[in-house]
Amino acid sequence: MRAFHFRLQTKLDICQRQEQVTREEMHRRVAIRNQVVQELELLENRFQFLEESIRELNASPGQFARIMVNRQYIPVLNKQIKTSEQNLIIAEEAVEEIRLELVERMRETRTLEKLKDKAWHRYLHELLLEEQKHIDEIAGTAHHRKSL
């Protein structure tokens, strides 16, 4: 009997490779998103520290210059936080986009793998039928020889 050959094997290999590439891209985008999240957390912590610093400086006399410098830094820090939040939204959208693409690639790969599995079971069934036919021929020949 002929060897098993899945005629869509090349397509399956390509789909598996595309899935792997998409998965790697997803990991890259998630890493970028995590980096933006860390940056945002750092900026928010810096903002809280700045507010505490201003409160402490208000309590002590003679710190007017430092208070003014800190207050002038607040709008700059707010702008950086808003920019970082916008970057986070963009990064989240990029992660969601690649996640949907990955789901589609996985679905396509899984479909082809199921087709291959069905073809394999069909091949095994045909192989068993052919083997049974061969055994029946041998038994028929042996029975015919015995009767002679």
Side-chain angles (χ1 to χ4, degrees):
M1 173 141 192
R2 61 183 173 35
F4 176 70
H5 177 72
F6 182 55
R7 63 187 180 91
L8 296 174
Q9 184 63 44
T10 304
K11 175 68 175 162
L12 176 60
D13 293 341
I14 290 170
C15 285
Q16 287 173 335
R17 180 65 185 136
Q18 287 174 335
E19 180 183 336
Q20 180 183 4
V21 168
T22 305
R23 191 177 305 273
E24 290 169 0
E25 178 64 17
M26 172 125 177
H27 288 301
R28 188 184 70 77
R29 289 186 185 184
V30 166
I32 289 171
R33 185 204 57 202
N34 291 342
Q35 184 179 7
V36 171
V37 166
Q38 288 177 347
E39 179 182 316
L40 181 60
E41 289 173 354
L42 178 70
L43 289 171
E44 288 172 346
N45 289 341
R46 192 178 298 163
F47 184 78
Q48 290 175 355
F49 177 75
L50 186 62
E51 285 181 331
E52 290 175 18
S53 175
I54 290 173
R55 277 190 222 110
E56 290 174 5
L57 291 173
N58 279 336
S60 59
Q63 298 292 330
F64 183 72
R66 288 187 69 194
I67 292 172
M68 292 307 295
V69 168
N70 285 348
R71 284 191 181 188
Q72 290 173 353
Y73 184 54
I74 288 177
V76 173
L77 200 52
N78 278 331
K79 186 176 179 182
Q80 288 178 343
I81 289 173
K82 286 182 183 183
T83 302
S84 188
E85 287 172 345
Q86 291 171 349
N87 290 342
L88 180 60
I89 290 170
I90 292 168
E92 289 286 347
E93 290 171 354
V95 167
E96 183 62 20
E97 175 187 326
I98 198 72
R99 187 190 68 78
L100 292 174
E101 185 179 334
L102 179 61
V103 167
E104 186 60 35
R105 299 265 188 227
M106 289 171 63
R107 186 176 298 129
E108 187 176 1
T109 302
R110 192 170 35 244
T111 301
L112 287 170
E113 286 173 345
K114 285 180 183 179
L115 287 173
K116 181 178 182 179
D117 191 44
K118 286 180 182 179
W120 172 250
H121 287 298
R122 219 175 12 257
Y123 170 78
L124 288 179
H125 183 69
E126 289 173 8
L127 186 65
L128 289 174
L129 289 177
E130 189 174 308
E131 188 176 311
Q132 186 63 43
K133 182 180 174 184
H134 186 64
I135 290 172
D136 289 347
E137 287 176 3
I138 292 173
T141 305
H143 178 69
H144 180 67
R145 285 185 184 170
K146 205 180 208 183
S147 63
L148 290 176

